[in-house]
Amino acid sequence: MGGYGSGKSGSGRPTTDPLLSLDIRYMRRAGLLRSTSAGPYSFSLSWSCRGNPSGNISVIVQRSEGTYPPEIVLDYSTKARGETTWTPVREAIPIETTECHYGGERPWFLCPRCFSRRAVLFSVGGRFRCRECHRVAYSSTRETADDRLF
């Protein structure tokens, strides 16, 4: 068991910290996922890093009869590292709800690759997927017990 490099600190998978992320909890709290039978509507999300813009995306919310829409559609452009041309991406992200113990519903993204319930999807290579599909870890898993105390 063990051996050189088998520990958690400094080795293994990249972390989620530098990645663009979509958080369904934020969207729900901000009122961005309201249900409407009138038709689809859209909003934009943007990210910045140290005050510089690092990405933006248009989110189209589909028409729904329930509390939350059955899916959202992401509309954005991406380019691979070192390339100059942008590739347009239009991708549907399914939404599933679960009942809460004291009433109401909780929305979840379904990862477009593995279809598992997720609150957050991360962008690697221009596609939003769960952290397991992208093989990334939370940075807190790299900290020692002493580091977490601080």
Side-chain angles (χ1 to χ4, degrees):
M1 263 201 284
Y4 181 75
S6 64
K8 289 183 180 181
S9 62
S11 65
R13 304 187 295 184
T15 63
T16 59
D17 290 345
L19 303 177
L20 302 180
S21 63
L22 287 175
D23 190 334
I24 199 163
R25 299 165 300 188
Y26 164 78
M27 291 180 186
R28 181 185 57 81
R29 281 192 306 268
L32 300 174
L33 294 178
R34 63 185 183 275
S35 180
T36 178
S37 58
Y41 63 93
S42 64
F43 59 90
S44 295
L45 294 173
S46 59
W47 296 269
S48 62
C49 180
R50 297 183 184 117
N52 297 320
S54 59
N56 63 355
I57 190 169
S58 293
V59 180
I60 303 162
V61 180
Q62 299 300 314
R63 179 177 181 254
S64 65
E65 300 296 330
T67 307
Y68 294 102
E71 69 179 14
I72 60 173
V73 176
L74 307 178
D75 194 8
Y76 59 100
S77 294
T78 184
K79 75 175 172 180
R81 188 174 295 189
E83 290 190 10
T84 57
T85 59
W86 289 87
T87 304
V89 176
R90 189 173 179 97
E91 180 173 43
I93 306 291
I95 294 176
E96 183 176 88
T97 58
T98 57
E99 291 184 17
C100 297
H101 291 292
Y102 296 107
E105 292 179 316
R106 176 176 292 132
W108 301 94
F109 289 131
L110 292 181
C111 174
R113 178 183 279 161
C114 67
F115 298 103
S116 61
R117 286 187 201 140
R118 302 294 175 177
V120 181
L121 297 177
F122 298 96
S123 175
V124 175
R127 299 293 180 173
F128 285 91
R129 305 286 186 263
C130 71
R131 68 183 182 88
E132 269 96 27
C133 287
H134 281 315
R135 297 179 183 267
V136 294
Y138 292 121
S139 59
S140 62
T141 63
R142 306 293 167 80
E143 298 173 347
T144 65
D146 292 337
D147 290 337
R148 286 193 293 270
L149 286 174
F150 290 110

